[in-house]
Amino acid sequence: MMNITILGSTGSIGTQTLEVIKEQGDMRAYALGAGRNIALLEEQIREFKPRFACVADEALAQELKEKVADTDTCVLAGTKGMEELASLPECQVVVAAIVGLAGLQPALAAVRAGKRLALANKETLVAAGDIVRRELARSGGELIPVDSEHSAVFQCLEAIPMERRAKEVKRVILTASGGPFAGKTKAELADITPEAALRHPNWDMGAKITIDSATLMNKGLEVLEAAQLFGVPAERIGVLVHRQSIIHSMIELCDGAVLAQLGVPDMKLPIQLALTYPERKPMQEPPLDLARVGSLTFEEPDMDTFRCLALAYEAAKIGHTMPCVLNGANEAAVSLFLHKKIGFLEIAELIEKVMNAHSIVKNPELEDIIEADSWARAKVLSLSGR
């Protein structure tokens, strides 16, 4: 029986991970961490009977304790509680699915404990990739990507022996659905509402990630994450808009061959692979039917209209604390947009202003990352007048 900790169990990735666990039968949700949705977490506790659960703060923890007093689940609270869940000796795998930089310290705790980290939180590597990789080398832990694009690259790279990858892999190509506004002009985006931006054509995701997909920041963060995951500089990571979301990503080799991973747009496939790798297991989902799909199309992204992608490449070029600042500014700006405090196009405008105002800290440690993130968020609020 494989014991699994899920950090972010009430979110999109977390709930789908629980579906995979239920379908497989030889896995146990040993510990569940969530934010503030204690109603859903209570349901999960009663169904999956985890040994431990954790919520955002002490007040919520006390409320949850009272609700599940008739169970054997021990309830913890806060970042320290999440770190404890990530380090449990009984667990072999930690699914890191907490949205945003809030997931960084629990993910680091899992890495330091030598766990397999099934990483669905791209902000962890964007903001602190060098630190995470250093801790992986020290602990002997393992990192398996859960994002569909990075999982695709991970699977394609299996065809190339590790010692030959630096010489033979010419380029990584990440695909993007384009979000709900692909093909639109800046003028058409000026009055976009949060409700419209949350209507993604292909994927069922949380609010923050869905907005990132609409601005193409999600793809920018994935470029930064891919550079950390696969040791490929950002200038050798391309992006193609592929509206069908069937090809999840590709690698181009030095001889011109291109390897791709295809599948239906369903996150359960990369989630399950991250849990069972190197073994593959059957899934209950319907398989890909290419004849029914019919055609696959590709376009270059419009980085003038969707500035967030261009800003991510700029942050990758600068490095050090700039990717963290990009991420922190984006999280703050997206929150303002979701609360209808700023317009859709102002997300990129604010991020660019914050990046231009940032004084880079070279070779940052964790404290520098946390400080840069806090500064970026505060700067967004200051520039927006909030």
Side-chain angles (χ1 to χ4, degrees):
M1 181 68 68
M2 178 191 296
N3 287 330
I4 299 168
T5 291
I6 305 174
L7 304 176
S9 69
T10 58
S12 175
I13 295 295
T15 55
Q16 290 178 87
T17 302
L18 287 169
E19 289 176 23
V20 170
I21 289 172
K22 187 159 50 173
E23 290 169 7
Q24 287 303 315
D26 59 352
M27 304 173 180
R28 180 187 177 191
Y30 193 83
L32 302 177
R36 311 191 70 82
N37 190 350
I38 62 171
L40 179 53
L41 182 55
E42 181 187 357
E43 291 178 20
Q44 293 175 344
I45 288 170
R46 295 194 179 282
E47 179 174 3
F48 292 93
K49 300 176 174 54
R51 181 67 189 86
F52 294 92
C54 182
V55 288
D57 58 45
E58 289 289 350
L60 285 171
Q62 185 57 44
E63 185 178 347
L64 183 62
K65 284 177 185 177
E66 293 171 6
K67 289 178 178 294
V68 298
D70 58 325
T71 73
D72 294 327
T73 299
C74 175
V75 178
L76 307 176
T79 299
K80 291 298 181 186
M82 294 292 185
E83 291 178 1
E84 186 173 337
L85 261 58
S87 310
L88 291 169
E90 298 89 349
C91 288
Q92 295 82 40
V93 180
V94 175
V95 177
I98 297 173
V99 175
L101 202 70
L104 170 58
Q105 288 173 266
L108 274 173
V111 167
R112 287 168 177 152
K115 307 295 184 184
R116 169 179 289 186
L117 183 66
L119 185 65
N121 169 297
K122 59 181 64 67
E123 294 87 352
T124 289
L125 288 185
V126 168
D130 290 343
I131 296 171
V132 173
R133 290 190 293 111
R134 186 172 68 212
E135 294 297 333
L136 278 168
R138 286 176 181 169
S139 71
E142 187 180 19
L143 196 161
I144 307 289
V146 168
D147 269 348
S148 61
E149 295 82 0
H150 300 109
S151 177
V153 174
F154 178 79
Q155 293 173 66
C156 290
L157 286 172
E158 284 193 292
I160 315 297
M162 184 70 72
E163 64 274 11
R164 291 181 4 217
R165 289 179 186 176
K167 188 165 117 178
E168 295 185 11
V169 178
K170 181 179 178 182
R171 196 162 60 118
V172 168
I173 304 167
L174 304 177
T175 56
S177 70
F181 308 131
K184 290 191 178 296
T185 64
K186 275 191 176 180
E188 291 173 314
L189 295 174
D191 298 321
I192 289 297
T193 65
E195 291 79 11
L198 288 169
R199 290 194 287 268
H200 196 282
N202 297 341
W203 295 95
D204 180 16
M205 305 177 291
K208 191 266 182 185
I209 299 173
T210 305
I211 300 301
D212 283 350
S213 179
T215 65
L216 289 195
M217 179 57 89
N218 195 48
K219 210 52 49 180
L221 297 176
E222 286 174 7
V223 168
L224 287 156
E225 184 181 8
Q228 291 287 350
L229 277 169
F230 308 117
V232 178
E235 59 266 24
R236 285 170 51 200
I237 302 173
V239 172
L240 279 177
V241 175
H242 167 55
R243 300 196 190 189
Q244 296 80 18
S245 296
I246 297 299
I247 294 179
H248 297 299
S249 280
M250 301 171 266
I251 60 171
E252 180 184 354
L253 304 179
C254 61
D255 60 2
V258 175
L259 306 183
Q261 186 264 327
L262 288 71
V264 294
D266 185 338
M267 282 304 301
K268 287 168 71 175
L269 191 154
I271 290 169
Q272 180 169 296
L273 181 65
L275 299 180
T276 65
Y277 181 82
E279 183 181 358
R280 287 182 181 267
K281 293 189 174 184
M283 289 192 67
Q284 297 179 13
E285 308 305 310
L288 174 63
D289 184 344
L290 283 172
R292 187 172 183 179
V293 171
S295 62
L296 304 176
T297 61
F298 306 92
E299 308 163 40
E300 293 286 346
D302 179 358
M303 289 199 279
D304 290 327
T305 300
F306 297 92
R307 285 282 298 147
C308 285
L309 180 55
L311 292 173
Y313 274 106
E314 183 64 22
K317 182 178 178 182
I318 296 168
H320 303 294
T321 47
M322 191 59 85
C324 174
V325 165
L326 169 96
N327 178 72
N330 178 63
E331 287 192 31
V334 167
S335 178
L336 288 175
F337 172 68
L338 285 170
H339 288 90
K340 300 185 178 182
K341 304 293 186 182
I342 63 171
F344 184 78
L345 293 175
E346 288 180 273
I347 295 173
E349 292 169 6
L350 282 169
I351 294 167
E352 186 165 18
K353 288 176 181 178
V354 171
M355 289 174 65
N356 289 337
H358 178 54
S359 298
I360 297 160
V361 178
K362 295 186 176 180
N363 304 314
E365 296 297 333
L366 182 59
E367 295 77 13
D368 302 312
I369 295 294
I370 293 170
E371 185 175 339
D373 174 73
S374 296
W375 175 85
R377 293 168 190 270
K379 192 69 174 175
V380 165
L381 295 178
S382 172
L383 289 169
S384 67
R386 304 297 170 185

